[in-house]
Amino acid sequence: MTTLCFCLFAHKLMSQSDTLLTFSVFQQQIETLSDSARFERLYDYSVNALNQSKYPEAALATNGMLKIAQDANNQILIGRTYMAMGNMERNQNNPTKAISDYLKAQSIFSSVGEYRRQLRALQRIEGVYISLRDLEKAQYYCEQALTIARQQKLELEIANIYNDLASIEDIRKKYNQALHYNELALRIYQSLKEEDSYTVSLFNRAIILKNSGQYRQSADIYQQCLKAAKEKQDVELEGMIYINLPNTLLLLNQLNEAEEYIRMALTWANSQSKSPPYYQNIYETLTAIYEKRGQFQQAFQYQKLSMVYRDSVMNAEKSRQLIETETRFQTREKQLHIERLDEDNLRQRQQLAWLTGGAILLTFLLGIMLLQYRTIRRVNGKLAETNQTLSDANERINKQSGQLKQLMRELHHRVKNNLAIVSSLLYLQSNRLEDENAVRAVREGQQRVEAMSLIHQQLYQTDNVTRVNMQTYIDELVRGLMQSFNHQDNFNLQLNVAPIDLDVELAVPLGLILNELTTNAFKHAYKGIDTPSLSISLWKEDQLYLEIKDNGPGMDVSQWQKPSRSFGKRLITSLTKQAGGRLEISGENGTRFLLILPVPEKKAILTPETEPA
């Protein structure tokens, strides 16, 4: 995490919002108030609406604020309105519009000498650019704000801006510069006796020190912050320290102490009813602790919990975006509906004038037509109802069919992404290990995960979401392994793969077995071989056959058949048994593995136009 993430709780603005009245009811309540009082009430209403993600109500409130401010020609109120509009656009993920509103606000505040408000507007702009990771522009607006704060001798604002600059440099990994800015902010807070701001800035310093590799100093400052938080009974800061301190202790290899604090964090999160991101961080830390201890079963359990909470965060974010999109759509629909109503009213008034003149003449004819009209209407109603029923049924069937196919693609995409995350985690973990055997074991695990990920990648990229094209899959898998083991030059690769589509239930174990045998060949078969060669064949007759041959020195078949602690050998044996097949091995003129699997017709489809190799 960057320092910026942990500056948020310093503002202590997160409070429960009151139940929001409808805007029409709210307008009635404030219509007798003075303009200035109505403006302040509208401002509070817009903030409350934003907290509850009710953007149409927030937009109505800010429009009301702008009208009052413009009618009074009050520049400060106009500037405050643009600030509120910028906040609303930022909450709806419209950074360009948010920056535009903030720029208007800061220009107005500058013109009337409201320097503190101008600085807040510049810092909001900087915050948007930081969230977009456009650090150059973020720094530009920080420095612009710092110049104004220095000119006006606004010491507290100068310290706040130093903290922002420290966040930017921390994201850039320029830790010495980040620590320098943080030190400047600490000095000012201390001189102004701003104890809360000082403690939060000190907390940020501990994070920067951890990021820069100064773990001992980071841990000491965390303890200093924890002592201050307990003295002030600042439960929020205390909990954040419990979450972050274990990461530093983990790097110091103080595993027991790290676990003690992260379990305090878990107790704190439960007592405060915290949101899923807190639990995700806690369980990720517990995973790392138990991995470092070598207790991989427990680490795996905690990793599963962290992934559950990570999925909750992703789902919540998707739900929020869906609500925002739906809200904007409803707002546009309401505006269009109002315009249509105005047009309808005008058209109805014109029609009424014509109908009044012809009403007397039509009265007699209407009486005669009434019975016929009722009969026709009854018949038409039944026909319309029947047609609508059929139309709805067809639409539901088509929609459900499309949704099912899309859900399968999404499922395979999600599985592929999750496997990619697991692969990345294994790669990162291997970089942190020093034991070569451990690194090799983790890297081999990563290759197995990538072999499974490749299957799910194929499934969501094609129209067939249940079967894997083995020609494409084997080609991509083997060439990826060749690249990993640097066997791209002067290497004779022969792929004779029949155009077979396998059910994913069989494709996964077959892919893992192929991955293990091919990896074994690349690792052991070609030492001292001038022209290495590898032949892989897959065909289907009465059964499914997979053959892997190399031109290495061969192997002792009796040695292979002996019990072994090799994970790869046990994995091959287990998967072969699970698939109901058998493995034949020959060690003459190189090593040859022949995997024979009984395959029901429904699990393996051979394209009829091409004969198998």
Side-chain angles (χ1 to χ4, degrees):
M1 300 182 189
T2 63
T3 310
L4 178 65
C5 300
F6 299 101
C7 291
L8 297 177
F9 67 87
H11 302 290
K12 301 184 182 298
L13 294 177
M14 303 305 294
S15 59
Q16 293 292 329
S17 301
D18 297 331
T19 302
L20 196 70
L21 298 173
T22 62
F23 189 72
S24 58
V25 173
F26 176 73
Q27 272 188 312
Q28 293 175 0
Q29 289 185 353
I30 66 172
E31 62 184 357
T32 59
L33 300 178
S34 64
D35 287 347
S36 59
R38 280 194 300 122
F39 182 90
E40 298 300 335
R41 292 289 300 278
L42 284 167
Y43 180 85
D44 292 341
Y45 184 90
S46 70
V47 172
N48 200 2
L50 279 185
N51 288 339
Q52 300 182 39
S53 300
K54 295 184 177 180
Y55 301 116
E57 287 77 5
L60 292 171
T62 53
N63 289 338
M65 291 163 58
L66 186 61
K67 186 176 187 308
I68 293 173
Q70 289 177 338
D71 289 345
N73 195 25
N74 188 318
Q75 295 301 305
I76 294 177
L77 296 186
I78 293 174
R80 289 178 61 191
T81 302
Y82 280 121
M83 287 288 285
M85 290 179 171
N87 295 338
M88 182 176 65
E89 296 297 338
R90 185 176 182 181
N91 279 20
Q92 296 182 85
N93 293 324
N94 296 325
T96 303
K97 185 63 170 64
I99 290 172
S100 175
D101 289 334
Y102 288 143
L103 284 171
K104 291 176 184 177
Q106 77 88 22
S107 177
I108 291 171
F109 292 142
S110 174
S111 67
V112 296
E114 281 285 328
Y115 299 111
R116 282 189 172 85
R117 296 184 189 274
Q118 182 186 3
L119 292 176
R120 281 198 291 274
L122 290 170
Q123 286 181 290
R124 297 284 175 81
I125 297 170
E126 159 225 321
V128 174
Y129 279 120
I130 288 179
S131 66
L132 296 172
R133 285 299 186 267
D134 190 340
L135 301 183
E136 294 298 326
K137 289 186 179 178
Q139 183 173 359
Y140 169 79
Y141 284 102
C142 258
E143 291 174 349
Q144 188 176 343
L146 186 59
T147 300
I148 296 170
R150 285 172 174 169
Q151 290 173 348
Q152 303 303 318
K153 299 180 180 180
L154 303 173
E155 292 297 314
L156 181 59
E157 282 71 15
I158 290 174
N160 293 336
I161 296 167
Y162 280 144
N163 265 333
D164 294 342
L165 287 167
S167 298
I168 293 172
E169 297 301 335
D170 185 41
I171 297 171
R172 287 173 169 164
K173 299 184 180 180
K174 295 182 178 180
Y175 302 118
N176 289 335
Q177 190 64 29
L179 290 169
H180 171 69
Y181 284 128
N182 179 265
E183 179 64 27
L184 294 176
L186 286 171
R187 291 176 186 173
I188 296 174
Y189 289 140
Q190 193 170 35
S191 67
L192 297 177
K193 297 182 179 180
E194 290 283 341
E195 296 183 3
D196 289 343
S197 297
Y198 179 86
T199 304
V200 171
S201 189
L202 197 63
F203 175 82
N204 288 339
R205 186 174 186 83
I207 297 172
I208 299 172
L209 286 168
K210 189 268 289 184
N211 292 342
S212 66
Q214 301 179 56
Y215 307 133
R216 187 69 268 164
Q217 298 93 318
S218 173
D220 292 341
I221 290 181
Y222 273 130
Q223 293 292 351
Q224 185 179 344
C225 293
L226 183 59
K227 180 180 177 181
K230 289 181 177 179
E231 289 175 354
K232 299 173 187 176
Q233 296 184 342
D234 190 337
V235 177
E236 187 73 15
L237 177 57
E238 185 178 346
M240 296 302 295
I241 295 170
Y242 288 150
I243 289 178
N244 285 273
L245 174 56
N247 293 321
T248 299
L249 296 174
L250 191 61
L251 295 169
L252 290 169
N253 208 31
Q254 297 177 220
L255 303 184
N256 292 335
E257 193 175 350
E259 183 175 6
E260 178 183 351
Y261 281 109
I262 201 62
R263 292 200 180 278
M264 290 180 182
L266 184 59
T267 302
W268 168 79
N270 290 334
S271 66
Q272 299 293 314
S273 300
K274 289 298 180 181
S275 56
Y278 290 89
Y279 290 98
Q280 180 186 349
N281 289 331
I282 290 169
Y283 286 119
E284 284 176 351
T285 303
L286 282 168
T287 300
I289 291 171
Y290 279 88
E291 279 184 348
K292 202 161 188 180
R293 285 175 174 165
Q295 297 175 335
F296 299 110
Q297 184 64 32
Q298 188 62 38
F300 179 66
Q301 297 302 321
Y302 285 125
Q303 185 183 38
K304 288 197 295 185
L305 288 172
S306 72
M307 293 179 72
V308 167
Y309 283 106
R310 186 205 64 190
D311 288 342
S312 297
V313 174
M314 294 172 62
N315 291 336
E317 176 64 16
K318 288 182 179 178
S319 297
R320 185 185 67 79
Q321 293 175 356
L322 183 60
I323 292 171
E324 291 175 0
T325 303
E326 184 178 357
T327 302
R328 288 195 292 268
F329 174 77
Q330 290 177 352
T331 301
R332 291 195 298 268
E333 286 295 302
K334 288 179 180 179
Q335 293 173 346
L336 292 173
H337 182 63
I338 291 172
E339 293 175 0
R340 286 195 295 268
L341 287 176
D342 291 340
E343 294 175 358
D344 289 343
N345 289 335
L346 178 60
R347 186 166 56 253
Q348 288 174 1
R349 285 195 297 269
Q350 293 173 346
Q351 291 174 349
L352 183 60
W354 288 100
L355 289 173
T356 301
I360 298 173
L361 296 175
L362 291 175
T363 300
F364 179 74
L365 294 175
L366 287 174
I368 297 175
M369 295 173 63
L370 182 60
L371 292 175
Q372 185 179 6
Y373 168 74
R374 288 178 178 175
T375 302
I376 294 173
R377 184 178 179 183
R378 185 166 55 253
V379 173
N380 287 341
K382 290 181 180 179
L383 289 173
E385 185 175 279
T386 302
N387 289 336
Q388 186 62 41
T389 301
L390 292 173
S391 177
D392 291 345
N394 288 333
E395 184 177 354
R396 281 196 302 273
I397 291 171
N398 292 334
K399 185 176 180 180
Q400 288 171 355
S401 175
Q403 287 176 339
L404 180 59
K405 197 168 187 179
Q406 185 62 31
L407 283 173
M408 289 297 293
R409 283 202 187 95
E410 182 65 21
L411 174 62
H412 289 302
H413 196 179
R414 177 65 63 82
V415 172
K416 185 262 180 183
N417 288 343
N418 288 343
L419 290 174
I421 292 171
V422 172
S423 176
S424 298
L425 289 173
L426 289 172
Y427 179 80
L428 293 175
Q429 183 66 35
S430 69
N431 290 335
R432 295 170 56 186
L433 298 173
E434 297 179 358
D435 185 273
E436 289 297 326
N437 291 331
V439 171
R440 184 165 54 254
V442 173
R443 289 289 172 83
E444 289 174 355
Q446 180 189 0
Q447 289 176 353
R448 296 178 183 115
V449 170
E450 289 176 350
M452 292 187 290
S453 175
L454 191 59
I455 288 178
H456 292 281
Q457 177 177 323
Q458 278 203 15
L459 289 174
Y460 82 78
Q461 287 180 341
T462 62
D463 289 333
N464 193 334
V465 295
T466 59
R467 293 188 177 277
V468 180
N469 183 293
M470 297 307 294
Q471 279 187 327
T472 303
Y473 173 71
I474 291 177
D475 182 77
E476 292 181 2
L477 176 61
V478 175
R479 295 191 187 280
L481 290 172
M482 284 178 60
Q483 185 175 1
S484 298
F485 287 93
N486 296 319
H487 280 296
Q488 295 170 281
D489 299 325
N490 194 28
F491 191 90
N492 182 15
L493 175 65
Q494 300 175 20
L495 296 180
N496 301 302
V497 182
I500 297 174
D501 289 348
L502 288 185
D503 187 274
V504 66
E505 181 181 346
L506 181 60
V508 170
L510 185 65
L512 288 173
I513 292 172
L514 176 61
N515 178 76
E516 292 300 319
L517 295 176
T518 306
T519 300
N520 187 63
F522 285 143
K523 287 168 61 180
H524 304 294
Y526 303 124
K527 294 179 181 178
I529 302 300
D530 294 332
T531 307
S533 173
L534 180 66
S535 171
I536 298 175
S537 301
L538 177 71
W539 71 94
K540 181 179 179 293
E541 295 176 354
D542 57 328
Q543 300 185 90
L544 187 67
Y545 297 86
L546 173 64
E547 180 187 67
I548 300 100
K549 296 192 298 184
D550 62 58
N551 65 338
M555 67 177 294
D556 187 350
V557 177
S558 62
Q559 185 67 25
W560 168 274
Q561 294 173 345
K562 292 181 180 180
S564 171
R565 297 182 62 186
S566 168
F567 179 81
K569 185 187 295 185
R570 286 186 291 164
L571 179 61
I572 293 170
T573 303
S574 175
L575 291 173
T576 303
K577 183 177 179 181
Q578 175 185 322
R582 70 180 189 276
L583 184 64
E584 297 179 0
I585 308 168
S586 171
E588 298 178 1
N589 298 323
T591 303
R592 173 179 178 267
F593 293 90
L594 179 62
L595 178 65
I596 305 172
L597 297 173
V599 185
E601 289 297 326
K602 65 178 182 179
K603 290 190 176 181
I605 297 177
L606 182 63
T607 306
E609 290 78 9
T610 307
E611 293 297 323

